[in-house]
Amino acid sequence: MQVVEMNTKMDTNVFNLQAFYGAALVDEQGREIPITEEMIVDACDELMKLWHFPMTKAA
């Protein structure tokens, strides 16, 4: 009986995950800062500048 009650409660509190199309960072004050495509592109560009091939071992 307890499991049935718990499942019923969960069904009423679950939101539709398919409706969520974004992401956000949460700062120290609890404010949500949306992550934009520009932020992702900038981060990837920065990583590409820092990336290098691993050194090969000398035989």
Side-chain angles (χ1 to χ4, degrees), residues 3-24:
V3 173
V4 172
E5 288 174 12
M6 188 170 134
N7 286 341
T8 303
K9 273 187 189 175
M10 287 177 65
D11 287 342
T12 59
N13 293 328
V14 173
F15 59 91
N16 184 0
L17 291 175
Q18 293 177 348
F20 184 74
Y21 295 106

Side-chain angles (χ1 to χ4, degrees), residues 15-51:
F15 59 91
N16 184 0
L17 291 175
Q18 293 177 348
F20 184 74
Y21 295 106
L25 300 170
V26 179
D27 68 9
E28 294 83 16
Q29 288 77 34
R31 295 178 297 211
E32 290 184 354
I33 302 164
I35 298 173
T36 64
E37 181 179 356
E38 181 181 2
M39 293 167 75
I40 294 170
V41 169
D42 289 346
C44 290
D45 289 344
E46 192 64 29
L47 288 171
M48 288 299 292
K49 290 180 202 172
L50 300 172
W51 189 83

